[in-house]
Amino acid sequence: MEPRCRTVVFRGFMKNVPLHPTTMYGDCVMKMITDMRSNKVRELGSVQNNTNTDKNNVEMSSEQYRIRGKLQFIGSDGPLYSYSELSDDSIKTKDFFISERKQQWGNLSDMAREQFYWEDPGISYTSTWAKGEGIPEGGRDSDGKVLPPPDTFLLMLLYPTTIDYLRLGDNFRQVDKWEGEGWNSKRVNP
């Protein structure tokens, strides 16, 4: 498979993640969202051993982050799989992830929620869908309440293992690696 660069919207850090007792990620688990029908989910294939690199340019400040780590997708029934080294499989943990998914759904804009009711991503655009027929406006019911997230909505979590930071203004570059019990930081040449 050809390498792909994926663009995702960073939705914040997940707080108080219930992880396996030997893993101390703390609050550095990154939240994003995606559609279960998207190519990125299919292309990841073997999701249990998935590693991903996310590149983020902060243009206003001339900074660049390359973040490598393990991805986990959270669906309507909880994690689509579980990393034994990252989390336990308890009901409490499953409920935590389901709650985080629901909260992220509620935090989306109406237009963002609507997209999860459209036809599959990447197919030809049709005028039926342009008129919004069959799509709940803003992902809300007739009383204006936010509907529950559809099965197509996934919370995507990135557990970073390597963060490569480059500040273009003065060519400062630092690589941080997760060493199991903490972060190891090293300044390197750009």
Side-chain angles (χ1 to χ4, degrees):
M1 178 187 306
E2 293 178 356
R4 303 223 192 291
C5 182
R6 294 291 182 195
T7 302
V8 292
V9 176
F10 173 62
R11 304 284 178 169
F13 291 102
M14 186 174 280
K15 303 292 182 194
N16 303 312
V17 181
L19 299 171
H20 191 276
T22 62
T23 305
M24 312 272 279
Y25 264 89
D27 295 336
C28 68
V29 178
M30 302 172 73
K31 296 189 296 184
M32 291 141 299
I33 61 170
T34 194
D35 191 308
M36 181 182 277
R37 304 165 295 175
S38 74
N39 287 339
K40 73 174 74 76
V41 176
R42 281 191 299 276
E43 289 168 358
L44 291 173
S46 176
V47 292
Q48 284 212 306
N49 296 313
N50 177 38
T51 300
N52 187 50
T53 300
D54 181 28
K55 181 181 166 214
N56 182 11
N57 291 312
V58 183
E59 292 184 26
M60 297 294 278
S61 63
S62 297
E63 296 176 299
Q64 187 178 85
Y65 297 85
R66 285 191 175 96
I67 304 167
R68 187 168 178 82
K70 295 186 180 214
L71 285 176
Q72 184 176 42
F73 295 97
I74 310 299
S76 56
D77 294 327
L80 299 186
Y81 57 90
S82 180
Y83 293 120
S84 60
E85 76 271 16
L86 295 178
S87 63
D88 61 38
D89 293 321
S90 70
I91 298 298
K92 181 180 176 185
T93 299
K94 180 179 168 181
D95 289 346
F96 172 84
F97 286 122
I98 291 171
S99 175
E100 288 290 322
R101 176 181 175 265
K102 182 179 177 184
Q103 179 182 349
Q104 188 63 59
W105 174 254
N107 290 343
L108 294 178
S109 69
D110 286 359
M111 292 208 37
R113 276 193 299 273
E114 275 184 26
Q115 293 177 27
F116 290 92
Y117 294 100
W118 293 355
E119 289 187 10
D120 291 358
I123 66 168
S124 296
Y125 182 78
T126 62
S127 61
T128 302
W129 288 96
K131 295 175 185 171
E133 295 175 17
I135 299 174
E137 189 174 334
R140 296 175 182 273
D141 65 17
S142 57
D143 294 329
K145 292 184 180 176
V146 174
L147 293 168
D151 289 341
T152 56
F153 175 73
L154 297 177
L155 178 60
M156 186 168 72
L157 304 177
L158 177 62
Y159 296 83
T161 55
T162 304
I163 300 171
D164 186 340
Y165 169 72
L166 175 61
R167 189 172 53 226
L168 299 171
D170 61 0
N171 288 323
F172 176 86
R173 182 175 175 203
Q174 178 174 310
V175 176
D176 299 290
K177 291 188 178 188
W178 181 254
E179 302 288 344
E181 294 184 19
W183 290 97
N184 181 13
S185 299
K186 179 177 167 184
R187 183 164 180 188
V188 296
N189 288 329

